[in-house]
Amino acid sequence: MITYNVTCSMDISISDEWLRWMEEVHVPDVMRCGIFISVNIHKVLQEFDNQASYAIQYSCNDMKDLHRYEVSFAPSLRKKHFERYKDKVICFRTILERVSAYKDSL
């Protein structure tokens, strides 16, 4: 399992509108690509310099699927995001591979 993590930071003054747009427009657009099997949006609880941050975690089966997303879909989706928010939102991406998973107790 691969997790494609996109962490975005923005001024608190636009964070509610940005989150609404992500939930109603961007994330559904990403999921319609048919690459990812699930998505979770997390709010980063530490705030720095009046900034809000969110981590959006998309899960897919393997690196081949993620590569297909990166080549075929990501450029146009990132462009839409940039055209809407320009430099008001800064994003960075990390790729995680699940090594093991646990539930409740060990």
Side-chain angles (χ1 to χ4, degrees), residues 15-45:
S15 64
D16 289 343
E17 187 277 330
W18 176 88
L19 180 59
R20 191 169 30 263
W21 185 79
M22 291 295 288
E23 291 175 331
E24 295 174 1
V25 178
H26 187 77
V27 170
D29 285 349
V30 171
M31 295 304 287
R32 273 191 289 279
C33 295
I35 304 292
F36 299 105
I37 55 178
S38 67
V39 61
N40 291 292
I41 299 175
H42 302 271
K43 181 177 172 89
V44 177
L45 295 180

Side-chain angles (χ1 to χ4, degrees), residues 53-68:
S53 296
Y54 292 85
I56 302 94
Q57 297 183 335
Y58 302 94
S59 295
C60 61
N61 289 315
D62 53 37
M63 286 299 294
K64 182 179 170 185
D65 286 344
L66 181 58
H67 179 70
R68 189 162 51 102

Side-chain angles (χ1 to χ4, degrees), residues 2-105:
I2 299 297
T3 299
Y4 179 56
N5 182 80
V6 183
T7 302
C8 299
S9 295
M10 75 280 321
D11 190 87
I12 290 173
S13 67
I14 67 165
S15 64
D16 289 343
E17 187 277 330
W18 176 88
L19 180 59
R20 191 169 30 263
W21 185 79
M22 291 295 288
E23 291 175 331
E24 295 174 1
V25 178
H26 187 77
V27 170
D29 285 349
V30 171
M31 295 304 287
R32 273 191 289 279
C33 295
I35 304 292
F36 299 105
I37 55 178
S38 67
V39 61
N40 291 292
I41 299 175
H42 302 271
K43 181 177 172 89
V44 177
L45 295 180
Q46 296 93 347
E47 290 180 8
F48 300 100
D49 298 328
N50 212 33
Q51 296 283 304
S53 296
Y54 292 85
I56 302 94
Q57 297 183 335
Y58 302 94
S59 295
C60 61
N61 289 315
D62 53 37
M63 286 299 294
K64 182 179 170 185
D65 286 344
L66 181 58
H67 179 70
R68 189 162 51 102
Y69 171 76
E70 287 285 317
V71 169
S72 301
F73 302 102
S76 62
L77 291 165
R78 288 179 188 163
K79 183 179 180 201
K80 272 177 70 175
H81 185 274
F82 182 77
E83 287 173 350
R84 184 173 181 93
Y85 293 102
K86 306 222 180 329
D87 60 352
K88 294 178 182 175
V89 179
I90 297 171
C91 299
F92 71 90
R93 293 155 182 83
T94 51
I95 301 169
L96 310 167
E97 180 179 29
R98 182 183 296 169
V99 175
S100 54
Y102 303 92
K103 296 206 179 208
D104 291 325
S105 63

